[in-house]
Amino acid sequence: MIRTLYANGCSFTEGKELEEEDPELRLAGQSKDILTQTQVRAYRNKKAWPSHLGRLLDVETVINAGRSGGSNARAVRMTYDYVCSYLAAGGSAEELLVCIGFTDLVRTERFTSMPGVDVRSDAPFDDGWSLMKTNLSTKKHGADRSGLKVNRFYYRYLFTEEQATVTYVQQVLNMQFFLSSLGVRFHFHDALATNAEPVNRFSLITQHLINFVKPGAHRSVHSAGKNEMAYKDGHTFEEWLVRSGAPRASAQHPLSEAHQQWARLLHSELLESEII
């Protein structure tokens, strides 16, 4: 029996823009007031797909650690932290389900300070870590001038798409092997329709890795023949959202009806794959 659902990902997991449905919060998404930010996060947590999936699974606890702009590096780091802490505290591996919505592989993060030194009030679990992405901004992601400068330098001089692509596939396998070794059940999907093209374009350096993705573990990775797996288009949250015609917010994030439908879809796949 699953008692705890742990979810991580980007804005599609956090539930960004869901507050547009609430008359009192619809203009509060960009507020810097701590109390308002807390209210927005609580509302998003209540309406985002992890909460709906948790109800379908009848779990006791749902942890939604998603964050707008969050990277796969962040999801992997935080999943390690949570699962290890959960098990160290006596939690049962059999009672935990981990669901990760992987995001754009070009994103990453950097360590900036020890916890408690540089606290972000809207995401206290990210203390000491800063987002890195090609469109990093002060308004959307809280980046300061120094952070923006470092970010520009990284993407101009250090970043390569080949490395990011290999790293992404390794991150998927990293989580798969880690959770499998501990007996923790899991299910992965991609939130954004951005990774298929580079994964397939750089297949010469990713295919031998993709072949080790467990069937049913990641909804974008499918059997493509005997002992061969392939990353296929059309299976991300974003692509499903466009095809489904489910309501979207002003910046095209899914609204609550879409989150509910996505949760039902994930639940059916968890059953079909005998993960639950």
Side-chain angles (χ1 to χ4, degrees), residues 52 76 78 83 93 100 111 162 188-189 223 227 263 267 269:
H52 296 299
V76 169
M78 293 187 66
V83 173
I100 300 177
F111 181 76
E162 294 91 336
F188 306 147
H189 68 268
S223 296
N227 299 322
H267 184 251
E269 292 183 353

Side-chain angles (χ1 to χ4, degrees), residues 175-188:
M175 283 288 92
Q176 174 183 299
F177 294 147
F178 166 63
L179 296 169
S180 295
S181 71
L182 295 172
V184 174
R185 286 175 280 188
F186 58 91
H187 185 265
F188 306 147

Side-chain angles (χ1 to χ4, degrees), residues 7 39 55 127 140 160 164 190 224 234 238 255 257:
Q39 292 174 334
R55 283 193 287 273
D127 290 1
K140 291 178 62 178
T160 67
D190 272 1
E238 184 179 36
L255 292 174
E257 181 182 331

Side-chain angles (χ1 to χ4, degrees), residues 7 13 20 31 35 55 62-63 89 91 97 118 141 151 153 175 195 198 203 213 221-222 226 245 248 266 275:
T13 296
E20 286 192 3
S31 173
L35 178 59
R55 283 193 287 273
V62 176
I63 295 94
L97 173 66
D118 183 23
H141 310 112
N151 193 77
F153 182 91
M175 283 288 92
N195 295 339
S203 61
V213 176
V221 183
H222 300 266
K226 187 176 181 180
R248 288 178 278 177
L266 294 182
I275 295 172

Side-chain angles (χ1 to χ4, degrees), residues 16 30 68 120 122 133 135 137-143:
K16 186 174 178 63
Q30 301 298 330
S68 178
R120 278 187 51 81
D122 67 329
K133 53 185 307 209
N135 63 343
S137 73
T138 299
K139 183 177 180 180
K140 291 178 62 178
H141 310 112

